[in-house]
Amino acid sequence: RERMQRNGISIGVAAMAAMLSQQASAWPAVPANVSAWLGKLALSGGSTGRVAASAWFGAKSLAAIAVALFVAGVVVVQGTVSRTEPIAKAEVTTPPAAAAASVPVLAEPAPAATSEPAPASSTATAALPAAVRAKAPEPSTWREVVDAYKAHQDRIRRISFDYTNTTKGTYFYQSFSPQPGTHNYSERGSLATDGERCATKYYRWGRHFAENVPANEPLYSVYAYDSDTLVQFNGRGGEFDGGPGLLWIIPNAIDSALQQSAFSDGRVFLLHTAYPGAEMLGFPVTMCGLRMEEILYGAHQISLRPAKEPVGGMECYVIDADTDYGVFAVWFSPERDYNAAKSVIVLGPGDIYERSPLLPGTSAYFEYSADKFTQVNGCWVPMESTSRDIAKLLNHNGFDTTSRHKRSNIKLPTMGEDSNAYAVNGDDIPNGARLMPNIGESRAAGDPEWIWQDGEFILVADTPGAKPIRRSDAAGFGGGILAGAQ
């Protein structure tokens, strides 16, 4: 296209893409729906593309030249787009050097099939660039909006990134202090998840409930969940509970005592553990364990507002819903692949909060806004957000906090690329870390005691007749989920 422009031939981007798509001999088979969308783009791409195509070339001539240019290496087909865009800007401004990032692109040929089942996002539509998907007919019902949101969440559920988070506010819990306390803590870490497995590592410092951790000795935590076994390590400043840290290895975690723990939030805990940006992954309610569309599909009453409403310069569809988890108002942005640009959730008596109905005189409020998105592999992904969480519970317990969350180094891996992501590296666990019983269990006097030392567990205490702990490749010491375990 650039060579043609230099020779005085102006051809629309969409028309060029459409002609390329017709060359079945030069490309792998193109799904019919992809060709149909490219054809519509060519017809609606503006007068420049139509006039140039009709005045200078017939369709076959233009296609032949396009293929010739491609074979000569002049046309570069790019399969990955990465661009950051503040949500407040209604238009995308692309610098000249990155002009190729603004055009519709053809997806690269699909990789060879693997033995791993394809996720729900592995469809021809998922491979389409955002600019092509955005041309779909506008939804007219709430279900069409939520379906579009779900489809995109399925596309971006396999994700990895680094993050920082800051939280400030107040709390009052009599179990921590007879007086109101202050939250003022920061966190940095990394997370990888595919919606079934998860691994994360983070450092936290500052005042968090009863903790007041100095920045030079932060709380250090590591988690990995491989859809069966959970490995969890907690340490702080070289010492934690009288030693370098505590290590849990919990097989069959989703059905274990962990599920009944007061600090458990079910699937969200197992997938995202203590990750503070769960809203950006589509989980809007604390300790609910359900993704946004799961809650909305099960609403008692739900409706789509008659007109779009602006959020940060974008026109959004707005859905109102009365659910088991509160009254929802959610703003979905079609310009950002139907990501939730904003949500407000109000809970009152009877609504489920932390897995139990709120009692009379109690309430909760969650407000979330996506402040910035970035485009990765043609998909819009939330990059920065602000959250306000308020709870008024029994005995004047509760909190009022504001969190600001930022992601970086965001990737959307393909199947197989993240196959080694969901394990704890043995080097992440310091020597001397104590192996603990499963959550909900306790070590009796005289039971064996194991510590982690140079990549293996060492028996440091044993009493004749005590319950033995057997090493097992399947579960007992983590097997494959704890890389380097002996």
Side-chain angles (χ1 to χ4, degrees):
R1 178 171 173 266
E2 290 176 356
R3 176 172 289 185
M4 294 167 72
Q5 287 178 327
R6 287 197 297 270
N7 286 277
I9 304 169
S10 179
I11 178 66
V13 173
M16 174 66 92
M19 296 305 103
L20 284 173
S21 74
Q22 294 175 4
Q23 292 299 305
S25 61
W27 293 89
V30 179
N33 62 336
V34 177
S35 298
W37 283 120
L38 289 171
K40 291 180 181 179
L41 284 174
L43 294 174
S44 61
S47 59
T48 301
R50 291 195 298 272
V51 171
S54 61
W56 290 93
F57 303 97
K60 291 184 179 179
S61 298
L62 179 59
I65 289 177
V67 171
L69 290 174
F70 175 80
V71 173
V74 176
V75 178
V76 179
V77 180
Q78 186 175 357
T80 300
V81 178
S82 181
R83 182 175 66 247
T84 300
E85 178 67 19
I87 190 173
K89 297 178 67 176
E91 300 294 332
V92 174
T93 302
T94 306
S102 66
V103 305
V105 296
L106 300 179
E108 294 178 348
T114 67
S115 59
E116 182 177 354
S121 61
S122 181
T123 64
T125 303
L128 284 174
V132 176
R133 292 197 303 270
K135 294 296 182 180
E138 290 195 3
S140 58
T141 67
W142 71 264
R143 180 168 286 276
E144 290 176 320
V145 173
V146 178
D147 286 348
Y149 167 83
K150 178 185 183 300
H152 182 64
Q153 288 298 119
D154 287 341
R155 282 192 290 268
I156 65 174
R157 74 174 191 169
R158 186 183 297 269
I159 188 171
S160 66
F161 49 83
D162 300 324
Y163 71 88
T164 59
N165 187 83
T166 59
T167 299
K168 296 183 179 181
T170 59
Y171 73 89
F172 179 62
Y173 279 94
Q174 293 180 338
S175 56
F176 288 110
S177 170
Q179 301 297 325
T182 300
H183 277 314
N184 187 3
Y185 59 92
S186 299
E187 185 172 314
R188 63 177 175 87
S190 62
L191 182 140
T193 185
D194 64 357
E196 300 293 334
R197 301 169 293 175
C198 184
T200 185
K201 178 169 62 175
Y202 71 85
Y203 297 85
R204 179 188 290 163
W205 60 96
R207 182 154 189 88
H208 177 244
F209 288 109
E211 297 176 323
N212 193 9
V213 181
N216 61 338
E217 293 184 347
L219 173 71
Y220 170 60
S221 296
V222 182
Y223 298 85
Y225 175 64
D226 66 354
S227 75
D228 176 82
T229 301
L230 174 71
V231 172
Q232 173 180 338
F233 170 80
N234 294 108
R236 182 175 66 210
E239 295 290 331
F240 187 75
D241 195 27
L246 306 179
L247 176 66
W248 288 266
I249 300 175
I250 305 169
N252 192 26
I254 199 165
D255 295 322
S256 71
L258 175 70
Q259 188 78 336
Q260 307 303 320
S261 167
F263 299 100
S264 164
D265 45 8
R267 182 158 56 114
V268 172
F269 181 89
L270 295 171
L271 284 179
H272 312 132
T273 62
Y275 173 59
E279 300 99 331
M280 296 175 77
L281 291 172
F283 292 85
V285 181
T286 300
M287 298 190 182
C288 168
L290 299 176
R291 213 167 70 176
M292 176 78 80
E293 79 277 3
E294 295 176 289
I295 297 175
L296 295 179
Y297 285 149
H300 306 299
Q301 294 182 334
I302 186 169
S303 62
L304 177 67
R305 293 185 188 177
K308 293 180 183 178
E309 297 181 11
V311 174
M314 297 182 305
E315 294 297 312
C316 297
Y317 294 100
V318 190
I319 286 180
D320 297 293
D322 182 5
T323 78
D324 288 337
Y325 302 91
V327 176
F328 281 58
V330 190
W331 288 255
F332 295 99
S333 170
E335 298 176 38
R336 296 294 180 267
D337 288 340
Y338 289 87
N339 276 290
K342 179 181 177 181
S343 64
V344 174
I345 306 170
V346 180
L347 294 86
D351 292 328
I352 298 175
Y353 172 79
E354 295 188 357
R355 304 175 66 193
S356 299
L358 284 172
L359 297 175
T362 64
S363 63
Y365 173 89
F366 302 107
E367 182 173 344
Y368 162 81
S369 64
D371 303 322
K372 185 180 291 187
F373 291 95
T374 187
Q375 201 175 42
V376 183
N377 295 6
C379 295
W380 287 106
V381 181
M383 186 178 183
E384 298 184 14
S385 69
T386 302
S387 300
R388 177 89 181 272
D389 297 343
I390 303 173
K392 296 180 180 180
L393 308 175
L394 291 178
N395 301 318
H396 305 289
N397 287 341
F399 54 83
D400 183 348
T401 61
T402 298
S403 297
R404 290 182 171 82
H405 195 80
K406 295 183 179 181
R407 292 171 169 178
S408 61
N409 194 29
I410 303 172
K411 298 177 182 178
L412 300 176
T414 59
M415 286 186 297
E417 282 187 315
D418 58 350
S419 58
N420 297 321
Y422 310 108
V424 174
N425 192 311
D427 293 338
D428 288 332
I429 302 174
N431 285 337
R434 288 193 293 153
L435 181 65
M436 302 297 291
N438 287 354
I439 293 178
E441 299 178 9
S442 59
R443 176 180 286 112
D447 280 355
E449 183 175 350
W450 301 81
I451 64 169
W452 180 257
Q453 187 71 33
D454 298 328
E456 64 177 353
F457 288 100
I458 304 297
L459 184 64
V460 295
D462 198 359
T463 300
K467 179 182 176 181
I469 298 180
R470 295 178 298 178
R471 301 184 180 194
S472 168
D473 291 336
F477 286 107
I481 193 173
L482 185 57
Q486 301 293 321

